[in-house]
Amino acid sequence: KSGQLELLQEEGYSSERKAVEQEFLYYLQNHTNSRPYIHSGYVAFFETPDRFLVSNLGVQDINSYHDINWIDTAMSLRDKRNPEALTVRRTTRFFSFEENQEIITVFRIIRSGIHPVGVVVLNIKPSYFDSLMRRLLLVEGQTIEIYNEQGETIYSYSKGAMLENGDYLKVVEKGSMFSSVSMTPYAQLFKLPIQLSKILLLVIFLLSILVLVITYLDVRWNTRRLEVISGILDAAAKGETIPRRIVRREDEYGYLIEEMIRLFVANEETKIQLIEKKSKFNELELMALQAQINPHFLFNTLETINWEASRLTGSLQNNISGMVQNLSDVLKYSLSNPSDPVTLKEELYYAQCYVAIQQQRYSDTIEVLWDIDQEALSSKGMKLLLQPLIENAIYHGAKEKEASSTIVIRIRRLDEFISLCISDNGTGMKAEQLAMVKLRIEEEGMEESHIGLKNVYKRLKLHYGDSVQFSIDSEWRVGTSITILIPYIPMSDEHNS
């Protein structure tokens, strides 16, 4: 501040001046100690040139301090014709026991407003810059010099001795206060690229020879492999014995030869197996024709029981006849060709026949509610889709509940999909049981429990693929709900296609 600067220029000594000097000294010490390249710093005022501040010693007198050859240069900056800042290289010593050393000194004017009142002086160690230069990747004989505003050399560094007779690449950079010159010998500058070029040419030559040798060996090896393959093909075409050569499976040729031998050998074995399978197929066909007699015998027997029950009761409308008729319909439907197309309406009818049988068995303990969207019934369905799910709801939900239970079958059309939901208010499942059921229906093989549920899930995946959605929700002592989403496929469209 201007008030503090005026106080420092006054004659005499006071507590206020001491406080200001301590503040300037603290500022000077912070700047010099925090920068490793600064040796020391001074602050001198034009009005009191015999006293000045030293960064590491405090206030010093011109008669007691050794380094004073900078004072004349600092005082000369008061002249307006001189620059605001100046950098010089000088030789000095700071203490009597030291030897003279080279130092770079930077001067800069202190102003109070527009009036110059003093100078800040920083002494910079050239040795610090020498250590930095040694870390740079300089070539042998390269020299770097730094000049001040007057063109005087203030710093110079050379790596090795300079060449007496040689051309140099000179690079000059000019700044506001300093300029630098880098001189590099052309011989050293291009020495490394020339050596690298020679090494590169040698490597290319050796690689070319190596590639030629590898190519020759590879062609020779592949030619032999092709001769082996040709021999195998000729032998197979003439019906001769295939040569059983031991071939190591190391590349595509070895793999091809091994596979050809394996396939030709397997072909002979396949001919024998086909003869055996044809004989077994004829035997199985006879057994299948014989097995067709059993369902027809079962249907005829059920019809006989139905008429006998009607004759004994004197009426066609009785529980026994109804159960026999429903059972006959369900068996006939389940034993028919599974590939025959059916509508959801047909599937619903046979599911209702099954429910009627179960309601006769469990009397009033199970109530079944039907919530059916008539638009959905014209869609193509899958045989035995509802019956196993209703059976699962009865035996794993409603049957295990002590009180009466309700099963709701809901079928809805949702634009391009059909939603089928079978829910019950039976015992339900705990979270661990539900997770286990979901895991088991995904696994291969059949489990002892939930066979129908897994059967339906697998058949849905085979029939509809990824377009089907199958979900199970259950809560302990609340009930279980199974929801299926399948594509809506009108039966008329199926027949037309």
Side-chain angles (χ1 to χ4, degrees):
K1 298 179 181 180
S2 59
Q4 293 175 325
L5 293 174
E6 293 175 359
L7 184 62
L8 288 173
Q9 297 178 78
E10 294 178 356
E11 296 292 338
Y13 194 73
S14 63
S15 59
E16 291 84 359
R17 177 169 178 166
K18 182 179 180 181
V20 174
E21 287 180 347
Q22 289 297 322
E23 184 177 348
F24 267 77
L25 184 62
Y26 177 75
Y27 175 80
L28 189 60
Q29 288 175 342
N30 281 342
H31 280 71
T32 56
N33 295 335
S34 62
R35 291 165 175 79
Y37 54 87
I38 297 179
H39 178 277
S40 59
Y42 308 142
V43 176
F45 295 95
F46 295 136
E47 298 299 331
T48 56
D50 55 335
R51 298 177 71 254
F52 48 88
L53 295 176
V54 180
S55 59
N56 52 354
L57 297 175
V59 179
Q60 294 294 313
D61 187 86
I62 192 173
N63 296 319
S64 60
Y65 194 64
H66 287 82
D67 181 24
I68 58 174
N69 61 7
W70 57 272
I71 294 179
D72 293 338
T73 304
M75 295 299 111
S76 67
L77 294 179
R78 189 174 189 179
D79 190 345
K80 295 182 179 179
R81 293 172 296 179
N82 290 329
E84 289 283 321
L86 179 63
T87 304
V88 297
R89 186 183 182 102
R90 61 193 183 93
T91 303
T92 187
R93 61 176 180 171
F94 298 94
F95 300 99
S96 59
F97 54 84
E98 288 183 338
E99 296 182 356
N100 289 340
Q101 57 179 304
E102 294 288 331
I103 204 79
I104 299 173
T105 303
V106 180
F107 301 85
R108 191 172 185 86
I109 292 179
I110 303 173
R111 291 185 178 274
S112 177
I114 62 173
H115 303 289
V117 296
V119 179
V120 174
V121 181
L122 294 179
N123 297 313
I124 299 174
K125 297 179 286 188
S127 59
Y128 178 82
F129 294 102
D130 291 342
S131 64
L132 294 180
M133 291 296 175
R134 283 190 289 270
R135 299 176 190 173
L136 297 179
L137 298 177
L138 303 179
V139 300
E140 190 70 22
Q142 183 176 356
T143 300
I144 295 178
E145 295 181 346
I146 300 176
Y147 302 91
N148 61 11
E149 302 91 324
Q150 289 74 31
E152 300 171 348
T153 303
I154 60 172
Y155 179 77
S156 178
Y157 178 84
S158 297
K159 183 176 182 180
M162 293 186 64
L163 302 178
E164 296 181 359
N165 298 319
D167 296 330
Y168 284 84
L169 174 64
K170 188 175 183 180
V171 179
V172 179
E173 293 186 6
K174 293 185 178 181
S176 59
M177 294 181 61
F178 306 99
S179 59
S180 64
V181 176
S182 173
M183 293 183 294
T184 307
Y186 279 108
Q188 294 294 333
L189 188 63
F190 297 110
K191 182 179 180 180
L192 181 61
I194 292 172
Q195 291 177 347
L196 292 177
S197 299
K198 292 179 180 179
I199 295 173
L200 182 60
L201 290 174
L202 179 60
V203 170
I204 292 174
F205 176 73
L206 295 176
L207 287 176
S208 300
I209 295 176
L210 181 62
V211 169
L212 290 175
V213 173
I214 292 175
T215 303
Y216 170 75
L217 295 176
D218 186 59
V219 171
R220 183 180 177 184
W221 178 256
N222 292 336
T223 301
R224 291 182 178 180
R225 293 295 185 91
L226 290 174
E227 291 174 354
V228 173
I229 294 175
S230 178
I232 294 174
L233 293 176
D234 290 340
K238 297 176 182 178
E240 300 174 354
T241 303
I242 300 172
R244 297 290 187 94
R245 297 190 61 176
I246 299 175
V247 179
R248 285 183 290 181
R249 191 172 178 174
E250 297 178 348
D251 54 14
E252 63 274 12
Y253 291 100
Y255 175 80
L256 184 59
I257 294 172
E258 182 180 307
E259 288 298 308
M260 289 176 65
I261 295 174
R262 184 184 64 81
L263 289 174
F264 284 128
V265 171
N267 185 45
E268 297 297 326
E269 297 176 354
T270 303
K271 290 180 181 180
I272 299 174
Q273 292 175 359
L274 285 175
I275 296 173
E276 295 177 353
K277 287 183 179 179
K278 186 175 181 180
S279 176
K280 292 181 180 179
F281 178 78
N282 293 333
E283 183 180 351
L284 291 174
E285 186 175 10
L286 290 174
M287 293 175 61
L289 291 172
Q290 183 178 357
Q292 290 180 356
I293 300 173
N294 295 333
H296 291 289
F297 172 75
L298 180 60
F299 297 149
N300 293 333
T301 302
L302 288 174
E303 289 294 329
T304 302
I305 295 172
N306 184 26
W307 284 107
E308 184 65 19
S310 300
R311 186 182 67 80
L312 292 175
T313 58
S315 173
L316 294 175
Q317 305 295 329
N318 57 75
N319 291 339
I320 297 176
S321 296
M323 290 182 66
V324 171
Q325 183 63 47
N326 288 331
L327 178 58
S328 177
D329 291 343
V330 171
L331 287 174
K332 186 183 297 183
Y333 180 67
S334 62
L335 293 174
S336 62
N337 190 349
S339 63
D340 291 341
V342 296
T343 62
L344 282 179
K345 185 176 182 180
E346 295 176 86
E347 174 67 17
L348 178 64
Y349 170 74
Y350 291 107
Q352 290 172 336
C353 291
Y354 171 78
V355 169
I357 296 172
Q358 295 297 333
Q359 285 182 322
Q360 287 290 336
R361 178 180 179 183
Y362 294 105
S363 62
D364 297 332
T365 60
I366 296 177
E367 179 184 9
V368 179
L369 302 178
W370 304 87
D371 184 5
I372 308 301
D373 182 1
Q374 297 299 320
E375 292 185 6
L377 298 181
S378 61
S379 175
K380 179 179 180 295
M382 186 181 72
K383 279 190 176 181
L384 297 178
L385 172 60
L386 296 174
Q387 183 268 329
L389 300 179
I390 297 172
E391 182 179 8
N392 183 80
I394 292 174
Y395 284 92
H396 296 285
K399 182 181 176 182
E400 297 180 1
K401 187 177 180 181
E402 297 179 359
S404 61
S405 302
T406 302
I407 299 174
V408 179
I409 294 95
R410 183 177 291 105
I411 302 177
R412 287 280 184 272
R413 177 181 175 182
L414 305 174
D415 295 330
E416 300 300 322
F417 292 89
I418 300 295
S419 172
L420 302 99
C421 181
I422 294 88
S423 58
D424 63 79
N425 62 348
T427 56
M429 292 181 285
K430 297 180 181 179
E432 298 81 4
Q433 293 176 299
L434 179 60
M436 185 61 67
V437 170
K438 290 181 178 180
L439 179 63
R440 285 179 176 176
I441 65 173
E442 295 279 355
E443 294 176 347
E444 296 296 331
M446 300 301 294
E447 300 289 338
E448 295 182 359
S449 60
H450 300 284
I451 296 176
L453 189 63
K454 184 169 185 175
N455 179 281
V456 171
Y457 175 78
K458 294 295 183 183
R459 289 190 295 116
L460 282 170
K461 284 293 184 182
L462 290 173
H463 194 82
Y464 295 103
D466 294 335
S467 60
V468 68
Q469 296 183 23
F470 190 97
S471 63
I472 306 175
D473 297 304
S474 185
E475 187 175 349
W476 177 241
R477 300 189 185 281
V478 176
T480 303
S481 175
I482 299 175
T483 304
I484 301 172
L485 201 65
I486 61 175
Y488 173 76
I489 305 175
M491 182 60 80
S492 58
D493 294 349
E494 178 71 16
H495 284 188
N496 292 336
S497 62

